[in-house]
Amino acid sequence: MDPKLVEVTQLFSRFKAAFSRNDFDTCVVLLSQLKVLLTKFPSLPPSFRQTPNAVEELKLARDIYEHAVVLSVKIEDQDAFERDFCQLKPYYMDTCGIIPPSPEEYPILGLNLLRLLVQNRIAEFHTELELLPASALENPCIKHAVELEQSFMEGAYNRVLSARQAVPHETYVYFMDLLAKTVRDELAGCSEKGYDYMSISEAKQVLMFSADQELQQYITEEHPEWEIKGGCVYFQKAKETQPCKEIPSLQVINQTLSYARELERIV
Amino acid sequence: MAAVATVSSASGILAMLQEPAEELKLHALASLNSVVHLFYPEISTSIPTIESLYEDEEFDQRQLAALVVSKVFYYLGELNDALSYALGAGPLFDVSEDSDYAHALLAKALDEYASIKTKASKGIEEEENVDPRLEAIVERMLEKCILDGKYQQAMGMAVECRRLDKLEEAIVRCDNINGALSYCINLSHQYVNHREYRFEVLRCLVKIYQTLPHPDYLSICQCLMFLGEPETVASILDKLLSGSNDDALLLYQIAFDLVENENQAFLLNVRNRLTSQTPEPNPDSGLAEPDDQAGNAGTGSTEPSGDVQMRDDTATPNVSAHSVDPNEVARADRLAKVKGILSAETPIQLTLQFLYSYNRSDLLILKTIKQAVEMRNSVCHSATICANAIMHAGTTVDTFLRENLEWLSRATNWAKFSATAGLGVIHRGHLQQGRALMAPYLPQSGAVGGGSPYSEGGALYALGLIHANHGEGIKQFLRESLRNTSAEVIQHGACLGLGLAALGTADEEIYEDIKNVLYTDSAVAGEAAGIGMGLLMVGTASEKASEMLAYAHDTQHEKIIRGLSLGIALTVYGREEEADTLIEQMTRDQDPILRYGGMYALALAYRGTANNKAIHQLLHFAVSDVSDDVRRTAVMALGFVLYNEPEQTPRIVSLLSESYNPHVRYGAALAVGISCAGSGLSDAISLLEPLTSDVVDFVRQGALIAMAMVMIQTNESFDSRVGTFRRQLEKIILDKHEDTMSKMGAILASGILDAGGRNVTIKLLSRNKHDKLTAVVGLAVFSQFWYWYPLLYFISLAFSPTAFIGLNSDLKVPKFEFLSHAKPSLFEYPKPTTQQTTTSAVKLPTAILSTYAKAKSRAKKDAESKANQEKATEDASGSTSSKAAKTQEKDADAMQVDNAAEKKAPEPEPTFQILTNPARVIPTQEKFIKFIEGSRYVPVKPAPSGFILLQDMQPTEAEVLALTDAPSTVAANTGTAAAPGQQASSAMAVDDEPQPPQPFEYTS
């Protein structure tokens, strides 16, 4: 067996050991070493060189990246999640039959969908969805994300919140928690558009806060332009004055003159 | 493995860029570099990340990052950004890479570098701003081209980038130095727009030439001529003077080539420098400024000259060493001959002989015109006289005029002026006899009222035309005539005459004389004075222009303003950028006439350069000026700017030729006429064709004239539209209801079509691609005929004979044969006259003169005459093979015309033709000319036409001379005597009407 492959495999088993111990700091260190080692494998994307070890290498690399994704969820690092997922994706999409599909594929894809939902990147969510085959939609992990998105779009936010209880995979919990905040942001946005002002108690109910402090903290962090006055929350948006429409006389004059000049030049 | 895996997205790699580990970033960059052509859209969103990598001083692969960014920008079409990052990529940017990316960026880099260099040459301080990395890339590129043996590419780039050092290197390292040099000369004329820079390139080339063991003196002298360095040319000629016989041939050839470029001031200067044997320090030997030379040449023909440093070491010792008599004699003899050539006496005389003896003008066409034109219509009357003059330009054949003296006498006033001037065109180049010929018309010093001022003025103008650009001998006389008269008509003639004779000499005294006339503020004389001053100062860019401009602002007379503004335009001839201030001043003037002059200034300053800026400006004026005159002139000026690329003109003016404004259409027609003159270009003809039947009369006039200029010397078998056009002309002339304007156009067009006995063409570029000053000036003034018909005669300046004249070392014309590898019919003279009579005979019943009976009798006589002609041709057929071939052709034609005659089986036409020296070789024929291997004479340079010196390979044998002096003495001594001889035969023809003149007159 190729010595490099051996080295990576050994390192990876150390990583897995640490991972099962929930020793995430070691994991991160090992992971970055693993990634550097992986760059030495010629059969990995984007080159996909056909080497005798290609299958092993690809499988191993995919495994490493799958772990990396899960690890990023565990350490609650969304940027790392995105980075690792992007690097993992070619193994799912482009290996086309060189290596057998991974059992972790759908859970991770679903996780990614969920992440996009959390980050309110709906367009990308649908792009990702389009890339999946029709059969994949039946998978509980994917289905879960799709249903969430539908509820989210309908505005059935309570269904979204209650779905936390029925997660198909333990890693989903982290994102489901984040989703609640996304829902709150949506609600805040809607309220802002819909009302000029709202009483604090109503606002608390709508935004699902139990205490006034929480509400106030939220407003100062996320919507500093809102104003709490006399037991009501005033949304400043509507008060913005419309800019008065001025007749662009100079522009019109210039244009007319240039037309006249052009007409004169017709040959 | 079944399917080959490919990545479908670069997002994975891009994500890797975000990794904290350096190695991963590196790996990502390397991967990106390999897939950038597939995923640049995805990568483009991450450009800021990669850029920040490039800007990160710590990152050790910044250059790779730069390369990736550069590639992405390239794919996004942002070449500027791509280039600046490619420069950042340093050595990673591979010059020799064979990819679109590399090609595009190299091109961009070269452009960038060239434009920086160009800018730097304008403002000196910016020189330092050239990015050294850019320079390094360009130099790598040049180096590579030279190594790969792509010398032409390297030379082109070096010229473009203003790297004369690299140019020199490329040329010197090239295996074919002479080829490379001539390529560069071509390059500098065609593609170097900036005049100063072109001079630099040429100077560099001359320098290289001079280092060669066997310098190509022909090319060197051409270069030096461009540079305006007569002293160096003189020293080269001087060296050759004392060389072997071969050197002598070369010497003559150089002289002929220089003369062809028609730069009088330069030639005079060279000649004067050759004159003095004793080297004397010349005050301005170091100056290359044409003004100064012109000044020298003009003011003192006796001025001591000679260049000196060079001659001191080369020629003088040579002479003193061989102080043996024969050598001295030979040298003196050669000197005399060279001077003869340089003063243009020899070439002009040879041309005259050629044009005289090969004259094929068709008197019958003139007769038809004369009969068709109404007597009282003076416009058409003088147009006919003009057409005659043009048809016989330079042939000295004035039969038509002598036969129609009474008809001629109907010309009065200015028509008389023109008619007399026409004689000058006919006798153009008849230097020795010119004054004697014109004597009866010239103002007599004692007798007052001897002749009408109109004919006297016309005669002075005629003298100018005869001596155009070679007026050494006549200018004194013209000056006296100018001083001795106060009649404005005579002054008019004298000013034009002086201007022509002293063209471009910048003679101060003459200038003062003409200026005095100008300051009399007489409209008629002042106009000519303005033009005359311009002619005198052609191309000198002297400060006299501002003087003229000031007077143009002062005077009330439009005519004077017009004359002056054309004059001012003439002074900046060929000065390109130098003229910009003046042009700016004129084109911004409130007076439309001065703006109109500004158009001419643009045209002449940028003549034949196809300069984009000038074209742009002209097009701007053509569509935006309020004055029709300015617009018309602006369009016409395009013709002058573009005459070095005639194929371009029809395309550029095609839209303008469909303008609603007839003036613009007229201008478009003339622009095509001027730039495509003599080319027979199909596009040009297609563009002009609809204009010849325009609704507006003057547009038709312009189109007809332009068409004739384009079709000159093209015959029907070359382009069938020529025949159609000839018939159209005839129809217009014969049509009673046609407008006078277009009738005049048609008459002139007939003249131009058969100009100079069908042996001349209009050429604005010499064979060396030098602009022919006289020709361009001639056409520019000619185009003024819109305002002033007598200026029509200036077109004669643009005519140049289409002849191959081979000369031996005695400058005689030996018998020499060569090959024209094409069907003879393609280039022969147009169909014989008889055909035209028959057509006119058919038309006559509906036309002017004849009754049916008369026509019938004419037909009968036609048949007779044809019999005569056939007999005559058979007589002639014994002489040479080429003549025989032609006669057969002619026979066949006659048969086709005459249906009643017995039928002969048409012989298959040969695919080649043997031509005998001197021969008519028209421009389109030039590429078919081949010299026969192993013949007695070998040309010094393999040019297909013009004056060619022939090297005699069997010098011991007696030479057979072809063009003897016999016809020329007849022509020269007997302007009067020769004519009666011809008259005898053709006078009858005219009086009895039907008999055509003898088509063949082989005086030898």
Side-chain angles (χ1 to χ4, degrees):
Chain A
M1 211 180 192
D2 190 47
K4 267 193 280 179
L5 199 57
V6 177
E7 189 191 346
V8 175
T9 322
Q10 283 167 354
L11 201 60
F12 186 44
S13 49
R14 280 174 56 203
F15 169 83
K16 276 198 278 199
F19 189 72
S20 55
R21 286 199 310 272
N22 280 353
D23 180 0
F24 297 134
D25 291 338
T26 324
C27 283
V28 170
V29 175
L30 288 174
L31 182 65
S32 78
Q33 287 173 13
L34 277 170
K35 280 184 181 168
V36 172
L37 287 175
L38 281 182
T39 60
K40 309 284 190 305
F41 290 177
S43 64
L44 301 189
S47 51
F48 283 122
R49 201 86 46 78
Q50 297 193 355
T51 55
N53 293 328
V55 177
E56 283 78 31
E57 285 174 6
L58 281 171
K59 271 201 317 218
L60 185 61
R62 186 179 63 187
D63 211 9
I64 292 171
Y65 278 116
E66 280 171 350
H67 276 86
V69 170
V70 176
L71 175 70
S72 66
V73 176
K74 293 235 164 107
I75 59 174
E76 305 193 346
D77 182 348
Q78 288 193 44
D79 287 341
F81 179 91
E82 185 174 358
R83 219 157 52 214
D84 294 328
F85 178 77
C86 281
Q87 292 175 62
L88 172 61
K89 222 171 116 190
Y91 297 91
Y92 291 152
M93 298 295 169
D94 307 328
T95 50
C96 45
I98 300 176
I99 48 172
S102 150
E104 293 297 309
E105 178 170 347
Y106 287 120
I108 287 184
L109 285 177
L111 208 53
N112 182 47
L113 288 176
L114 206 56
R115 171 185 66 97
L116 290 173
L117 209 52
V118 165
Q119 292 171 346
N120 217 355
R121 286 151 74 174
I122 304 299
E124 281 168 73
F125 177 90
H126 284 282
T127 316
E128 290 293 321
L129 213 53
E130 288 302 316
L131 290 172
L132 296 175
S135 57
L137 295 182
E138 298 304 314
N139 186 290
C141 297
I142 307 293
K143 208 171 169 187
H144 178 74
V146 173
E147 276 169 2
L148 273 179
E149 192 263 350
Q150 276 165 358
S151 312
F152 195 64
M153 288 298 106
E154 284 166 19
Y157 296 124
N158 52 346
R159 240 190 291 159
V160 175
L161 295 175
S162 63
R164 189 182 186 281
Q165 272 70 47
V167 285
H169 199 275
E170 21 132 18
T171 47
Y172 281 42
V173 176
Y174 164 61
F175 284 116
M176 291 307 291
D177 290 341
L178 292 177
L179 200 54
K181 184 172 180 308
T182 313
V183 168
R184 184 174 293 139
D185 286 343
E186 279 295 296
L187 287 169
C190 292
S191 316
E192 195 177 44
K193 287 264 164 28
Y195 304 95
D196 284 345
Y197 63 92
M198 195 185 266
S199 71
I200 289 190
S201 59
E202 280 171 332
K204 218 163 58 182
Q205 198 188 345
V206 167
L207 297 177
M208 297 171 295
F209 286 115
S210 46
D212 285 4
Q213 271 73 31
E214 285 174 45
L215 176 66
Q216 259 171 14
Q217 196 189 352
Y218 174 75
I219 289 175
T220 42
E221 273 172 18
E222 302 285 330
H223 296 282
E225 75 274 17
W226 293 1
E227 205 179 348
I228 301 173
K229 204 165 61 184
C232 287
V233 180
Y234 287 90
F235 309 109
Q236 305 282 317
K237 265 278 155 57
K239 291 187 191 113
E240 276 175 20
T241 47
Q242 294 282 329
C244 81
K245 286 262 161 84
E246 200 184 335
I247 299 169
S249 47
L250 269 178
Q251 193 194 343
V252 171
I253 291 170
N254 277 333
Q255 207 151 32
T256 320
L257 278 177
S258 79
Y259 286 153
R261 204 162 38 237
E262 297 292 321
L263 275 175
E264 178 62 22
R265 282 190 194 178
I266 291 175
V267 285
Chain B
M1 286 177 209
V4 180
T6 48
V7 246
S8 59
S9 155
S11 57
I13 312 170
L14 288 171
M16 207 185 271
L17 273 182
Q18 313 279 0
E19 295 279 356
E22 290 270 302
E23 292 92 334
L24 287 177
K25 286 183 185 168
L26 270 184
H27 179 71
L29 274 180
S31 317
L32 278 179
N33 188 28
S34 63
V35 296
V36 69
H37 59 289
L38 296 172
F39 297 117
Y40 62 88
E42 270 183 284
I43 303 173
S44 64
T45 52
S46 308
I47 275 192
T49 323
I50 313 178
E51 278 174 343
S52 64
L53 282 180
Y54 166 65
E55 276 148 26
D56 181 1
E57 301 283 341
E58 316 264 294
F59 189 60
D60 58 348
Q61 282 290 347
R62 301 175 51 205
Q63 295 184 331
L64 185 59
L67 186 65
V68 173
V69 178
S70 162
K71 282 187 181 177
V72 174
F73 275 128
Y74 160 70
Y75 286 112
L76 293 177
E78 299 284 343
L79 283 182
N80 283 325
D81 292 328
L83 180 63
S84 66
Y85 279 100
L87 293 179
L92 284 182
F93 177 67
D94 184 4
V95 185
S96 52
E97 187 184 315
D98 187 30
S99 67
D100 288 347
Y101 163 74
H103 293 318
L105 277 208
L106 280 177
K108 177 77 193 165
L110 280 174
D111 283 353
E112 191 74 9
Y113 185 65
S115 76
I116 291 176
K117 281 291 214 176
T118 316
K119 261 185 227 143
S121 70
K122 281 173 191 153
I124 308 120
E125 291 88 59
E126 287 170 71
E127 186 99 43
E128 307 307 316
N129 290 350
V130 183
D131 190 334
R133 297 172 303 174
L134 188 61
E135 194 150 32
I137 284 199
V138 173
E139 276 173 12
R140 251 154 70 199
M141 186 71 198
L142 283 169
E143 192 62 25
K144 190 185 143 253
C145 280
I146 295 175
L147 285 179
D148 293 356
K150 295 175 186 158
Y151 298 108
Q152 296 200 341
Q153 262 185 35
M155 287 183 256
M157 275 190 276
V159 168
E160 183 82 359
C161 297
R162 303 191 170 231
R163 289 297 298 266
L164 294 182
D165 51 333
K166 287 283 168 188
L167 177 67
E168 200 173 330
E169 190 186 331
I171 295 175
V172 173
R173 283 167 68 174
C174 180
D175 35 16
N176 174 10
I177 293 192
N178 277 321
L181 283 168
S182 60
Y183 175 80
C184 279
I185 292 180
N186 237 337
L187 205 68
S188 63
H189 291 322
Q190 276 184 304
Y191 298 108
V192 181
N193 274 333
H194 198 261
R195 188 164 177 265
E196 288 299 317
Y197 178 55
R198 192 183 310 140
F199 280 8
E200 275 174 46
V201 175
L202 287 177
R203 263 183 220 117
C204 170
L205 293 179
V206 170
K207 202 176 83 197
I208 302 172
Y209 263 128
Q210 280 165 345
T211 58
L212 297 184
H214 301 290
D216 177 0
Y217 286 120
L218 277 173
S219 309
I220 297 184
C221 288
Q222 287 299 326
C223 286
L224 288 171
M225 161 128 202
F226 281 110
L227 292 171
E229 291 182 5
E231 55 291 336
T232 329
V233 173
S235 76
I236 291 176
L237 293 184
D238 200 81
K239 207 189 299 179
L240 290 173
L241 266 177
S242 14
S244 66
N245 275 334
D246 290 353
D247 283 348
L249 285 180
L250 190 61
L251 172 71
Y252 301 145
Q253 185 68 59
I254 293 174
F256 274 117
D257 284 0
L258 290 178
V259 168
E260 208 206 333
N261 297 331
E262 297 181 343
N263 191 338
Q264 183 175 209
F266 181 84
L267 294 174
L268 284 176
N269 209 333
V270 173
R271 202 188 64 183
N272 291 338
R273 280 166 200 278
L274 279 180
T275 314
S276 63
Q277 291 270 342
T278 45
E280 279 173 51
N282 186 348
D284 30 27
S285 60
L287 295 177
E289 280 301 301
D291 316 29
D292 296 79
Q293 289 153 17
N296 294 343
T299 44
S301 49
T302 54
E303 176 204 78
S305 54
D307 175 5
V308 232
Q309 283 90 352
M310 300 198 75
R311 198 120 59 84
D312 272 338
D313 357 307
T314 55
T316 324
N318 228 343
V319 173
S320 55
H322 307 280
S323 54
V324 205
D325 264 351
N327 261 345
E328 278 298 317
V329 171
R331 194 188 144 90
D333 180 43
R334 282 178 194 169
L335 186 65
K337 278 181 187 155
V338 168
K339 279 183 173 172
I341 301 171
L342 286 178
S343 66
E345 278 164 26
T346 318
I348 286 181
Q349 194 174 355
L350 286 166
T351 310
L352 205 63
Q353 285 173 16
F354 171 79
L355 287 178
Y356 171 74
S357 52
Y358 280 68
N359 174 27
R360 289 294 196 91
S361 63
D362 197 338
L363 285 178
L364 218 65
I365 296 180
L366 278 173
K367 207 169 49 133
T368 320
I369 298 175
K370 189 191 127 206
Q371 282 162 353
V373 165
E374 251 186 283
M375 289 292 189
R376 274 166 304 168
N377 189 337
S378 77
V379 171
C380 291
H381 184 262
S382 45
T384 314
I385 296 172
C386 181
N388 169 53
I390 293 173
M391 268 191 199
H392 293 100
T395 61
T396 71
V397 176
D398 50 6
T399 328
F400 180 78
L401 294 179
R402 290 176 190 283
E403 282 162 5
N404 298 291
L405 283 175
E406 196 204 341
W407 172 80
L408 195 61
S409 67
R410 282 173 209 278
T412 52
N413 297 341
W414 284 108
K416 198 171 196 172
F417 179 91
S418 305
T420 322
L423 281 176
V425 173
I426 295 178
H427 291 285
R428 175 158 191 244
H430 214 160
L431 299 188
Q432 295 88 0
Q433 299 292 317
R435 200 166 147 192
L437 278 166
M438 300 310 297
Y441 310 103
L442 288 171
Q444 310 295 325
S445 43
V448 188
S452 114
Y454 290 102
S455 66
E456 289 176 2
L460 293 173
Y461 179 24
L463 277 180
L465 288 166
I466 292 177
H467 292 268
N469 207 15
H470 306 289
E472 278 299 275
I474 199 74
K475 64 185 183 192
Q476 200 53 38
F477 172 76
L478 286 170
R479 269 179 68 193
E480 278 161 22
S481 308
L482 181 62
R483 284 207 204 113
N484 293 341
T485 184
S486 56
E488 55 179 13
V489 180
I490 300 179
Q491 283 176 338
H492 184 94
C495 285
L496 288 178
L498 262 178
L500 280 165
L503 191 74
T505 55
D507 189 321
E508 284 292 332
E509 293 174 43
I510 299 180
Y511 181 81
E512 287 305 316
D513 285 345
I514 300 183
K515 200 166 80 181
N516 289 336
V517 176
L518 178 71
Y519 286 163
T520 58
D521 206 38
S522 131
V524 172
E527 182 183 32
I531 298 175
M533 287 156 99
L535 291 172
L536 195 63
M537 294 291 175
V538 161
T540 58
S542 74
E543 69 286 358
K544 298 280 193 307
S546 46
E547 201 177 298
M548 290 161 79
L549 195 58
Y551 191 76
H553 279 127
D554 283 349
T555 184
Q556 297 293 311
H557 295 288
E558 277 194 9
K559 267 171 161 302
I560 298 182
I561 304 176
R562 192 173 299 123
L564 280 171
S565 59
L566 182 66
I568 298 168
L570 287 169
T571 62
V572 294
Y573 173 92
R575 306 302 287 210
E576 298 179 30
E577 290 85 0
E578 271 178 73
D580 281 353
T581 341
L582 187 72
I583 292 172
E584 183 75 17
Q585 217 176 338
M586 291 179 85
T587 51
R588 293 238 171 143
D589 205 285
Q590 286 204 316
D591 188 343
I593 302 178
L594 280 174
R595 288 206 301 278
Y596 150 95
M599 297 304 111
Y600 271 107
L602 260 173
L604 292 172
Y606 290 96
R607 83 280 168 270
T609 56
N611 185 301
N612 271 335
K613 200 183 87 200
I615 294 173
H616 193 260
Q617 248 179 311
L618 286 173
L619 283 174
H620 173 78
F621 280 107
V623 294
S624 63
D625 203 281
V626 286
S627 157
D628 279 337
D629 290 339
V630 179
R631 295 174 78 160
R632 184 183 65 234
T633 320
V635 183
M636 191 161 64
L638 284 172
F640 286 102
V641 177
L642 284 165
Y643 69 70
N644 65 335
E645 292 176 9
E647 302 81 14
Q648 297 287 333
T649 322
R651 196 176 53 81
I652 289 184
V653 301
S654 67
L655 266 183
L656 294 169
S657 76
E658 288 162 19
S659 164
Y660 73 94
N661 184 332
H663 289 269
V664 174
R665 292 203 297 275
Y666 176 92
L670 276 192
V672 172
I674 289 163
S675 67
C676 307
S679 66
L681 214 64
S682 177
D683 284 353
I685 297 175
S686 316
L687 186 132
L688 289 171
E689 235 169 7
L691 290 175
T692 56
S693 43
D694 199 274
V695 284
V696 180
D697 51 0
F698 66 78
V699 178
R700 287 201 294 278
Q701 182 191 53
L704 290 172
I705 291 175
M707 187 76 116
M709 287 165 77
V710 173
M711 284 183 171
I712 188 170
Q713 282 208 330
T714 315
N715 71 10
E716 202 169 345
S717 45
F718 196 82
D719 192 329
S720 65
R721 288 176 289 187
V722 178
T724 325
F725 181 59
R726 281 183 184 273
R727 284 187 287 281
Q728 187 187 6
L729 288 181
E730 196 178 18
K731 191 172 145 272
I732 294 175
I733 292 168
L734 293 177
D735 186 353
K736 278 210 147 183
H737 304 290
E738 189 63 51
D739 289 299
T740 309
M741 287 287 261
S742 51
K743 218 169 197 171
M744 171 191 162
I747 294 171
L748 289 174
S750 324
I752 296 170
L753 211 50
D754 289 331
R758 293 179 169 166
N759 284 317
V760 299
T761 186
I762 299 176
K763 267 176 84 172
L764 299 179
L765 279 179
S766 71
R767 285 173 198 91
N768 307 305
K769 304 283 183 222
H770 198 290
D771 50 304
K772 298 180 78 154
L773 183 141
T774 325
V776 179
V777 168
L779 274 192
V781 186
F782 161 76
S783 59
Q784 291 278 306
F785 77 85
W786 175 276
Y787 299 103
W788 194 232
Y789 289 149
L791 297 178
L792 277 171
Y793 292 100
F794 268 84
I795 199 178
S796 67
L797 302 191
F799 293 146
S800 58
T802 49
F804 175 96
I805 302 180
L807 298 168
N808 63 11
S809 56
D810 292 331
L811 303 186
K812 295 276 185 313
V813 184
K815 193 162 176 291
F816 167 67
E817 288 185 339
F818 57 100
L819 210 63
S820 160
H821 207 71
K823 286 186 196 167
S825 73
L826 278 182
F827 305 116
E828 68 184 359
Y829 289 103
K831 299 258 154 87
T833 51
T834 38
Q835 194 182 17
Q836 260 137 356
T837 359
T838 359
T839 34
S840 69
V842 173
K843 274 182 188 150
L844 276 174
T846 56
I848 324 144
L849 299 168
S850 58
T851 58
Y852 179 60
K854 215 172 172 187
K856 212 169 150 190
S857 75
R858 176 171 316 149
K860 201 174 124 203
K861 279 187 181 165
D862 272 356
E864 277 173 23
S865 72
K866 216 165 290 157
N868 284 342
Q869 186 204 338
E870 272 178 39
K871 224 164 87 186
T873 50
E874 268 158 30
D875 289 346
S877 67
S879 57
T880 62
S881 58
S882 74
K883 280 177 192 165
K886 273 181 200 155
T887 337
Q888 272 164 8
E889 281 291 317
K890 221 130 263 178
D891 268 356
D893 289 335
M895 290 309 141
Q896 278 169 8
V897 175
D898 202 338
N899 292 330
E902 80 273 15
K903 289 197 169 75
K904 260 191 207 167
E907 288 176 37
E909 200 186 353
T911 54
F912 66 92
Q913 184 184 15
I914 304 273
L915 298 174
T916 318
N917 180 31
R920 174 187 191 251
V921 176
I922 65 175
T924 38
Q925 193 177 3
E926 285 178 5
K927 54 178 176 287
F928 299 105
I929 297 297
K930 302 237 161 42
F931 296 107
I932 303 167
E933 298 253 337
S935 63
R936 178 173 170 184
Y937 296 99
V938 177
V940 170
K941 69 165 192 178
S945 67
F947 292 102
I948 310 292
L949 266 294
L950 301 171
Q951 195 175 359
D952 192 348
M953 303 314 257
Q954 300 150 0
T956 46
E957 288 174 36
E959 288 184 294
V960 186
L961 298 182
L963 191 66
T964 57
D965 276 347
S968 80
T969 38
V970 176
N973 299 338
T974 58
T976 42
Q982 283 190 321
Q983 240 171 340
S985 58
S986 42
M988 262 185 49
V990 178
D991 290 342
D992 293 355
E993 221 184 41
Q995 186 169 8
Q998 296 285 339
F1000 290 108
E1001 268 200 27
Y1002 288 110
T1003 17
S1004 60

